[in-house]
Amino acid sequence: MSDKLKKLLAQLVKLYPKYIDLSLERLENLLIKLDNPEKKLSNIIHIAGTNGKGSTLSYIKQILIENNYKVHCYTSPHLKTINERFVIANEQISNKELFKIINFIKKINNNNPITFFEIITAAAFYLFSQKKSDFTLIETGLGGRLDATNVIKNPILNIITPISIDHQEFLGNKLTDITKEKLGIIKPSSTIIIGKQTNFINNYIKKKIYKFNNKKIFYNQNYKIAKINKKSFDIIINNKKFNFNKPTLNGLHQIENAATAISAILEIKKIGNKINIESINKGLIKTKWNCRLEKGYLKKIPVFLDGAHNVEGAKQIKNFFVNNNKNRWLIIGMLKNKDVKNYLLNLKSTIRGIIALKIPEEKNSFSTKEILNICKQIDIECIAKKNINDANNYLFNEIKPDEIIISGSLYLVGKIRNLYI
């Protein structure tokens, strides 16, 4: 990212005292000044949920690209540079183009109060309206009902990925409260696809959307994974069996995300779009979504990077590592609004010890002392290090682990990914 773009982004943060303030009014006012670009987007697929949003979107994007469609994508957060959030007609935006559009939007906003996420969402919608695409894929930033992306009114698909506890300070402490917020993206004209949920949440969703006239598609009811083979998996959709390649992304949850994406793709096909079924296999194999159980190496030691930062994410990591007899260590850094104690309790049987880090350049990161104290409470061996290089040197020279996991925050894994991949 250029220095000029960094400086501009820093100016945006100062336009509003809160980094997050869920509302639609500020953005709607700005979009009116931009001639409502959000109303000019093609075939919108809007995705909300706690886990799996980005992966599901990435599968859909890649499969559509394999069918020669042009796709716009808006995702968050980014790992390394903000450019990652903007895909324009299949290509990530350049520094030059991003600076130009954000500077333009900033001038149109004329210093009116607006959050950082709201103004870059306006930039995304304006960009998308200026360049032709066949589909527009949009991931919510936080929640759903009052998320800035929810200014759109006419999606063809609404997808709800697995819901769990996260962002309680904004969405509420109860799963039902969080679910209600996520369901707020659903519009009258859309087909609703519900990804894998707990039975409790699944039943709650069914009650909440029972009176909706939308077409409704549920995991384990309208589509489900029947069998997982070594290199492929069987999925049943409306009593018809399909066999597809296992995705390149690691973990059972990624096969479940792929199943949701496939269900979406087949719905797209039903409404008159040309989809080659074999292209789904190509798309699943080609899909990349960095730092989701992504494998790298510290010299010859396998390292698995994962941006999971909630309890459900920890469970997914635990399920991936079936052999608990290995000398496996965790490097962790986490933001203070996350439940680090229960996160670690879910990984306790999977790891031998922890290296605690403070996330670089993140004021709201747990200190190493705080992580050490939590590990002491739950009887996990923990060692604090000043930075990732010290952690790597200690692990390689002193511990010599069989495997290393790095998780707890996308902000952490994004900053250090290049050391292993």
Side-chain angles (χ1 to χ4, degrees):
M1 184 164 45
S2 68
D3 290 339
K4 190 164 71 168
L5 181 55
K6 284 182 183 178
K7 185 178 179 181
L8 178 59
L9 294 174
Q11 292 170 1
L12 297 185
V13 175
K14 296 176 182 178
L15 291 174
Y16 201 74
K18 294 181 180 179
Y19 193 75
I20 297 172
D21 186 8
L22 298 180
S23 170
L24 299 181
E25 186 177 352
R26 293 180 297 270
L27 178 56
E28 286 171 339
N29 290 335
L30 175 56
L31 290 171
I32 289 170
K33 297 176 184 177
L34 295 167
D35 195 26
N36 290 110
E38 79 283 4
K39 296 180 180 180
K40 304 171 186 176
L41 310 183
S42 302
N43 291 325
I44 299 169
I45 299 172
H46 197 190
I47 305 175
T50 306
N51 295 311
K53 298 189 298 293
S55 300
T56 303
L57 181 149
S58 295
Y59 288 129
I60 295 170
K61 178 189 77 171
Q62 192 60 48
I63 294 167
L64 289 173
I65 289 172
E66 293 302 315
N67 284 279
N68 298 313
Y69 287 115
K70 295 289 186 184
V71 186
H72 295 332
C73 298
Y74 181 53
T75 60
S76 66
H78 58 271
L79 282 173
K80 197 162 186 179
T81 67
I82 196 169
N83 310 59
E84 299 164 28
R85 302 188 186 208
F86 303 83
V87 171
I88 314 294
N90 304 351
E91 300 293 334
Q92 184 174 297
I93 196 168
S94 67
N95 282 335
K96 182 178 179 181
E97 188 174 12
L98 186 56
F99 176 85
K100 180 180 177 182
I101 192 65
I102 290 181
N103 197 42
F104 168 72
I105 301 295
K106 180 174 177 285
K107 288 179 180 177
I108 296 296
N109 185 62
N110 195 29
N111 290 322
N112 284 313
I114 193 164
T115 70
F116 180 86
F117 186 68
E118 288 164 357
I119 203 165
I120 65 169
T121 299
F125 291 165
Y126 186 80
L127 275 166
F128 294 168
S129 72
Q130 298 298 301
K131 295 194 177 182
K132 188 180 182 303
S133 77
D134 300 298
F135 294 90
T136 306
L137 311 185
I138 300 172
E139 174 190 359
T140 58
L142 194 155
R145 181 177 63 93
L146 294 175
D147 184 81
T149 63
N150 204 31
V151 293
I152 60 170
K153 304 299 181 188
N154 59 338
I156 59 169
L157 291 178
N158 282 130
I159 300 175
I160 308 295
T161 64
I163 296 171
S164 59
I165 294 289
D166 203 0
H167 299 296
Q168 298 96 306
E169 68 272 37
F170 300 107
L171 306 179
N173 292 311
K174 295 180 180 179
L175 266 175
T176 50
D177 292 339
I178 294 171
T179 303
K180 186 178 179 181
E181 290 298 316
K182 307 287 186 185
L183 295 177
I185 70 165
I186 294 172
K187 304 299 186 300
S189 60
S190 68
T191 292
I192 307 168
I193 299 178
I194 306 296
K196 185 179 181 182
Q197 311 290 341
T198 64
N199 288 336
F200 173 74
I201 290 301
N202 215 44
N203 290 333
Y204 178 80
I205 291 174
K206 286 181 179 180
K207 288 177 183 177
K208 292 299 291 184
I209 68 174
Y210 173 75
K211 293 183 179 179
F212 292 8
N213 292 322
N214 309 56
K215 181 177 181 180
K216 307 171 187 73
I217 299 168
F218 282 83
Y219 184 93
N220 266 343
Q221 180 177 317
N222 306 101
Y223 72 102
K224 62 182 178 181
I225 296 167
K227 185 180 179 182
I228 299 174
N229 310 302
K230 188 173 182 180
K231 293 185 178 180
S232 66
F233 68 100
D234 296 336
I235 178 174
I236 296 174
I237 300 178
N238 294 327
N239 298 317
K240 186 176 181 181
K241 186 177 178 180
F242 298 86
N243 179 264
F244 293 110
N245 293 331
K246 284 172 73 173
T248 306
L249 300 179
N250 287 318
L252 171 61
H253 60 290
Q254 291 296 359
I255 298 176
E256 293 164 351
N257 293 336
T260 298
I262 291 167
S263 182
I265 288 292
L266 294 182
E267 282 303 305
I268 290 168
K269 180 176 169 55
K270 284 180 184 177
I271 59 176
N273 297 281
K274 293 181 179 179
I275 300 289
N276 181 330
I277 296 298
E278 181 54 34
S279 71
I280 296 176
N281 278 325
K282 292 179 181 178
L284 295 177
I285 291 171
K286 288 186 180 180
T287 296
K288 294 182 179 179
W289 195 232
N290 295 339
C291 293
R292 276 72 179 181
L293 281 171
E294 184 180 20
K295 189 176 182 179
Y297 292 90
L298 173 61
K299 297 186 180 179
K300 292 185 178 182
I301 302 172
V303 178
F304 294 86
L305 297 103
D306 196 287
H309 52 264
N310 55 43
V311 170
E312 192 58 37
K315 291 177 182 178
Q316 291 169 353
I317 294 173
K318 178 184 178 180
N319 291 339
F320 177 71
F321 293 100
V322 293
N323 183 352
N324 289 333
N325 294 319
K326 289 192 173 184
N327 182 19
R328 185 182 296 120
W329 279 65
L330 169 69
I331 298 176
I332 191 167
M334 193 171 270
L335 297 180
K336 288 186 177 181
N337 61 344
K338 304 302 177 184
D339 185 358
V340 66
K341 183 177 180 179
N342 282 307
Y343 186 91
L344 293 176
L345 279 171
N346 275 279
L347 288 175
K348 184 176 178 179
S349 63
T350 307
I351 57 176
R352 295 283 179 85
I354 290 172
I355 304 291
L357 294 180
K358 189 176 188 303
I359 304 172
E361 301 169 14
E362 291 293 337
K363 294 179 181 178
N364 196 34
S365 169
F366 277 109
S367 68
T368 55
K369 184 177 180 180
E370 288 170 320
I371 296 175
L372 281 168
N373 287 337
I374 291 168
C375 288
K376 188 175 181 181
Q377 293 172 28
I378 57 179
D379 194 28
I380 298 178
E381 181 179 351
C382 183
I383 297 159
K385 292 296 175 183
K386 288 183 178 180
N387 55 53
I388 190 61
N389 290 325
D390 286 352
N392 284 339
N393 289 334
Y394 180 79
L395 285 172
F396 184 78
N397 295 314
E398 303 295 331
I399 301 296
K400 303 187 188 312
D402 299 318
E403 292 175 336
I404 299 168
I405 305 169
I406 306 178
S407 76
S409 170
L410 278 169
Y411 297 104
L412 172 66
V413 294
K415 291 174 190 295
I416 63 177
R417 177 179 178 269
N418 65 323
L419 297 175
Y420 311 97
I421 305 299

